[in-house]
Amino acid sequence: MSEGKVVAEKKKNLGRIIFDNAKKHNAMSKAMWDQLAEKMQFFDSDDEIRVVVLEGAGEKSFVSGADISKFESERSNIDSIKEYGFSVNRAYQSLQHALKPTIAKIDGYCYGGGMGIAVCADLRICSENSSFCIPAAKLGVGYGHENTKVLMDLVGPAFTKEIFYTGRRFSAEEANNMGLVNSVQTQADLDEYVAGYVEVMVCLLYTSDAADDTPCV
């Protein structure tokens, strides 16, 4: 069976990060966490890239969390657990400290580590059929203070407690109401809406590099 991977694509000023493990709803293996950090570093070093969009392969999931089928091989002892945690934190930090604006384009499941990725992005735009969940309590997985604080800074302590204590799924509407996402779009309109955001951001953030005096619209 083919392993999942994180793909980087470049189109003019746009960098795309694609989580490609569709058979497992884009669940993240340790290798994929490492690849995410590497791809973000690559875009940071590319002066032509102005905005980075992160998205999942297929139409069912952004990222459904960690690939728990690999826990036996990737988290089998204390040393491997520490190494796995280092890979995850390095990936999160590559987003938190990215030199280019980042947008998480969420279509479908955004669970566990997927929410971790999304909240580290600058903006989150989702389709109306997306859902959000951190099932850490159900899996016996702990979250560090630093990553929890990123979520709390975004939605506040009350919603953060509800997310962690209940482990339940939140709808796109609920995510929007708590401030987890910036906008909810229909699945049919999501691509066009995000593309419009990218165009505006490139225009407004980098007008000094423009080749002409065409105003941003």
Side-chain angles (χ1 to χ4, degrees):
M1 182 180 294
S2 61
E3 295 291 329
K5 58 186 176 181
V6 176
V7 179
E9 295 183 353
K10 175 181 175 180
K11 184 177 181 180
K12 297 182 179 179
N13 299 129
L14 173 64
R16 294 176 66 212
I17 296 286
I18 304 167
F19 304 104
D20 188 1
N21 193 10
K23 290 183 178 180
K24 296 184 178 180
H25 300 298
N26 302 325
M28 298 284 287
S29 65
K30 181 182 182 300
M32 292 175 69
W33 288 113
D34 289 334
Q35 289 166 13
L36 173 55
E38 292 164 3
K39 305 304 184 186
M40 287 302 303
Q41 290 170 3
F42 172 76
F43 284 144
D44 276 348
S45 64
D46 189 331
D47 291 338
E48 292 183 344
I49 296 296
R50 303 305 198 186
V51 180
V52 178
V53 173
L54 302 105
E55 58 192 286
E59 298 180 347
K60 294 184 178 181
S61 182
F62 174 68
V63 171
S64 63
D67 186 349
I68 60 176
S69 70
K70 291 185 173 292
F71 274 13
E72 186 175 347
S73 60
E74 296 182 344
R75 297 167 56 93
S76 58
N77 54 56
I78 293 177
D79 289 338
S80 62
I81 290 173
K82 288 181 179 179
E83 187 176 346
Y84 185 94
F86 175 82
S87 294
V88 174
N89 289 328
R90 186 171 69 127
Y92 286 159
Q93 289 173 13
S94 73
L95 291 168
Q96 293 171 9
H97 303 296
L99 301 180
K100 319 294 171 69
T102 54
I103 301 174
K105 184 173 76 172
I106 302 163
D107 188 13
Y109 305 131
C110 184
Y111 295 167
M115 273 190 62
I117 292 169
V119 300
C120 288
D122 294 311
L123 300 172
R124 288 150 297 282
I125 301 171
C126 74
S127 68
E128 60 189 2
N129 67 320
S130 297
S131 58
F132 302 81
C133 177
I134 298 181
K138 298 178 180 180
L139 299 173
V141 177
Y143 269 62
H145 172 266
E146 183 176 351
N147 294 329
T148 304
K149 187 177 185 302
V150 174
L151 176 62
M152 188 166 65
D153 288 344
L154 188 62
V155 303
F159 282 127
T160 299
K161 290 175 184 178
E162 183 179 2
I163 289 168
F164 277 102
Y165 291 171
T166 67
R168 74 175 181 88
R169 298 181 183 184
F170 294 82
S171 68
E173 181 181 3
E174 288 176 305
N176 192 38
N177 290 338
M178 70 174 67
L180 180 60
V181 298
N182 298 84
S183 179
V184 179
Q185 300 295 315
T186 66
Q187 190 175 46
D189 292 337
L190 182 62
D191 287 347
E192 183 176 355
Y193 187 87
V194 172
Y197 246 62
V198 170
E199 184 176 354
V200 168
M201 290 170 68
V202 169
C203 185
L204 293 179
L205 293 173
Y206 302 99
T207 51
S208 62
D209 294 337
D212 54 43
D213 295 325
T214 303
C216 296
V217 293

